[in-house]
Amino acid sequence: MNKPYIINDANGNPINGKYPPNREKYGDLYDGYKNWAEEVLFHRFAVLCYDVCFTYKNKEYFLLKEPDHAAVCDEHFTEEYEIYANEMELLENFKIDGKPLIELIEELEDIDSV
């Protein structure tokens, strides 16, 4: 799977080069991200390839990571509703209420990697 946004930090650890952590600004609590939702989406999902679940306006959403794509799927991670080339494309292009998911990060609830 093509993930041009993954780079290595000074210690050789993979990080999200497009939305990198900022430990100077945010510290280590969320691995350099502003909040838990950013850490889950930008690092755990986009870089480490964990599946993700979250709630937005009382509706549950599930994000699936496969070897060759990422998808919005059902709660069992078996039926794929929308497929994207990679995790960042999903975060930037999957829309909820007409807005890309990446613009709704502050409003997500109960987010976690699975």
Side-chain angles (χ1 to χ4, degrees), residues 48-113:
L48 300 179
C49 303
Y50 287 98
D51 296 332
V52 169
C53 58
F54 64 87
T55 304
Y56 177 76
K57 292 187 177 179
N58 297 315
K59 182 177 179 189
E60 290 183 304
Y61 292 87
F62 303 90
L63 309 180
L64 172 68
K65 172 21 199 125
E66 290 289 0
D68 62 343
H69 67 277
V72 179
C73 65
D74 69 338
E75 73 242 20
H76 303 291
F77 295 91
T78 54
E79 185 177 345
E80 298 176 1
Y81 302 131
E82 291 190 36
I83 298 171
Y84 296 85
N86 61 48
E87 294 82 359
M88 285 310 308
E89 285 192 18
L90 186 155
L91 295 177
E92 293 174 337
N93 296 298
F94 172 58
K95 291 186 175 153
I96 302 174
D97 292 342
K99 292 184 181 178
L101 177 58
I102 201 161
E103 292 179 14
L104 301 172
I105 291 175
E106 299 287 330
E107 301 173 54
L108 304 180
E109 298 176 348
D110 304 321
I111 188 167
D112 209 349
S113 53

Side-chain angles (χ1 to χ4, degrees), residues 3 6 20 36-37 96 109:
K3 295 185 183 186
I6 296 179
W36 177 242
I96 302 174
E109 298 176 348

Side-chain angles (χ1 to χ4, degrees), residues 9 37 41 45 57 113:
D9 67 9
L41 294 175
F45 179 64
K57 292 187 177 179
S113 53

